[in-house]
Amino acid sequence: MEERLQKVMAELGVASRRKCEELILQGRVKVNGQTVTELGTKVDKQNAVIHVDDIQITNKTDKVYILLNKPIGYITSVQDQFDRPTVLDLVSEIGVRVYPVGRLDYDTEGLLILTNDGDLTYKITHPRHNVTKTYTARVSGHVSEDAIEIFKKGIFIEDYKTAPAKLEIIKYLDNGTIVNITIHEGKNRQVRKMCDAIGHKVVALKRMSIGSLMLNDLKTGQWRYLNNDEIEYLYSIGGQ
Ligand code: URA
């Protein structure tokens, strides 16, 4: 149910409605990671994540769940021996130590979840959960329709046969192809290796979704808090 932001804030015990209006006008209130300064703004009372002065006032747990659109040129490990930027540099303003759920390569962009909920991370990255992940890739050369069947059967990458995967040809370019690829595992550089195995080099790779969580219009380098429905969804994947 949608209600005015100042009303929701007052009900959560932040301050009187009048004082909450001032906080909004002063640019001190964020809803789902975005600063809101308009008094008429309505928010979803159940799912909005509200911060005042960067302190979370909704869902007062110490758990934080973030969806980031990772740019190329950032590593997903927490530390790097070469001192390259890490994805944590992009969310430093949250003031809480979070960790990436799974990995994306340095040269891959797209959807990455970050959280300090170690239980959840453990559950959803466990191989038995087989969460669907969708990528858009630009690959070298023209991919033939045969590749669709080959992906469907699973592909040998090194000594491992992947689970059945989906390949969809989106568009032919002068000297490349845009494809969508859906996999259920998370082996190291899996999409790149699968494409290599059919003779096409991945030139650009972006993760578009993990299960039903999608990037949508979140810009590269931006992040937002997950809402309660999305957090529950992640827990449902983890089998809790
Ligand atoms: N597959 C890859 O090859 N790289 C990624 O970053 C993710 C999936």
Side-chain angles (χ1 to χ4, degrees):
M1 195 175 97
E2 298 236 313
E3 284 196 42
R4 282 176 171 252
L5 177 55
Q6 59 267 42
K7 178 162 186 273
V8 175
M9 288 169 64
E11 282 171 6
L12 285 163
V14 174
S16 67
R17 265 195 222 187
R18 178 88 193 79
K19 179 81 179 110
C20 290
E21 288 177 1
E22 281 170 25
L23 293 170
I24 295 169
L25 290 171
Q26 288 163 358
R28 293 164 64 185
V29 181
K30 284 186 186 155
V31 178
N32 299 332
Q34 306 293 323
T35 303
V36 169
T37 51
E38 297 236 350
L39 287 183
T41 305
K42 291 201 166 172
V43 297
D44 175 349
K45 214 174 145 180
Q46 302 299 325
N47 290 314
V49 180
I50 303 174
H51 285 72
V52 177
D53 291 337
D54 287 324
I55 296 167
Q56 187 164 339
I57 57 155
T58 41
N59 191 12
K60 284 191 192 128
T61 84
D62 53 355
K63 300 285 196 291
V64 176
Y65 306 86
I66 283 173
L67 190 158
L68 169 73
N69 185 349
K70 174 195 174 297
I72 291 167
Y74 286 79
I75 55 157
T76 46
S77 340
V78 174
Q79 258 183 358
D80 183 40
Q81 52 172 333
F82 304 114
D83 241 8
R84 292 174 293 184
T86 87
V87 289
L88 299 188
D89 298 334
L90 297 164
V91 297
S92 54
E93 70 260 44
I94 64 169
V96 177
R97 188 62 186 252
V98 287
Y99 300 88
V101 178
R103 331 181 31 248
L104 283 180
D105 299 334
Y106 180 72
D107 44 359
T108 302
E109 57 182 326
L111 197 163
L112 185 71
I113 306 288
L114 299 153
T115 182
N116 58 353
D117 185 341
D119 279 352
L120 181 72
T121 302
Y122 174 76
K123 285 188 173 128
I124 61 180
T125 51
H126 196 282
R128 97 183 117 95
H129 291 308
N130 287 337
V131 187
T132 302
K133 295 163 202 117
T134 305
Y135 297 83
T136 298
R138 181 154 63 87
V139 300
S140 62
H142 279 184
V143 175
S144 84
E145 301 272 334
D146 298 345
I148 298 170
E149 275 307 306
I150 298 173
F151 265 60
K152 225 186 246 176
K153 290 190 179 128
I155 295 186
F156 274 101
I157 50 174
E158 290 148 11
D159 55 353
Y160 173 80
K161 185 168 187 228
T162 72
K166 187 172 161 197
L167 180 138
E168 208 182 338
I169 297 170
I170 304 299
K171 189 174 168 186
Y172 288 116
L173 309 170
D174 278 350
N175 192 16
T177 311
I178 306 287
V179 291
N180 281 350
I181 291 172
T182 304
I183 60 172
H184 305 275
E185 304 133 297
K187 298 279 172 206
N188 189 29
R189 296 179 80 82
Q190 182 167 339
V191 171
R192 292 173 199 275
K193 287 176 184 166
M194 289 173 84
C195 292
D196 276 346
I198 57 162
H200 296 278
K201 199 167 169 36
V202 169
V203 183
L205 186 60
K206 181 169 188 172
R207 180 153 68 195
M208 309 305 288
S209 65
I210 299 180
S212 68
L213 298 186
M214 294 196 227
L215 264 190
N216 292 332
D217 50 7
L218 193 66
K219 300 223 163 48
T220 306
Q222 290 194 337
W223 60 271
R224 65 173 178 82
Y225 289 103
L226 294 185
N227 65 37
N228 290 343
D229 286 347
E230 291 171 324
I231 296 166
E232 269 173 32
Y233 166 70
L234 288 179
Y235 264 96
S236 74
I237 296 177
Q240 183 171 307

